Amino acid sequence: MAPLYTTLPSLFISHGSPMLALEDAPTTRFLRGLAAQLPKLSAILIASAHWETNEPTVTGAIHPETIHDFQGFPKELYALRIRLQAILYLQGVFQSLLAGAGITTGI
């Protein structure tokens, strides 16, 4: 039986300036080129230090909202929304993997 998902190498991608979403900069071009080199993905795991919780937390939202945690940028940047569909099964898998490493998480 084939596995339900295939693991790709982990990547650390710093988001840099929020303006990268609007500007044609070397970093923007690099990220677009990187996306073109990867196979079509069915899921992406994103770890963020921008949530303020008392413990590590895995989102339980089916459609997580875009969070704009910055200010002083052009209106066009705040209008950007990333429409996501959470895969609830993978949230549980991720929590189990963290638990196996001794990390308790909330949801």
Side-chain angles (χ1 to χ4, degrees), residues 1-104:
M1 185 164 117
L4 294 176
Y5 55 90
T6 303
T7 303
L8 294 173
S10 296
L11 301 172
F12 171 78
I13 302 172
S14 174
H15 60 69
S17 167
M19 291 300 294
L20 289 173
L22 300 178
E23 295 175 340
D24 181 24
T27 302
T28 307
R29 291 190 295 276
F30 167 77
L31 292 173
R32 285 188 183 129
L34 178 62
Q37 293 176 36
L38 296 173
K40 183 172 173 31
L41 304 175
S42 59
I44 299 172
L45 171 66
I46 299 172
S48 175
H50 292 269
W51 265 351
E52 293 184 21
T53 59
N54 292 329
E55 63 184 349
T57 303
V58 176
T59 183
I62 294 174
H63 297 282
E65 294 183 28
T66 301
I67 299 171
H68 296 99
D69 62 345
F70 46 76
Q71 58 187 1
F73 291 93
K75 291 180 198 174
E76 295 83 9
L77 194 56
Y78 300 99
L80 291 179
R81 298 286 185 271
I82 299 173
R83 309 237 184 273
L84 301 173
Q85 170 82 38
I87 302 171
L88 298 179
Y89 167 77
L90 289 179
Q91 292 169 330
V93 169
F94 182 54
Q95 279 191 298
S96 294
L97 290 170
L98 289 172
I103 301 171
T104 304

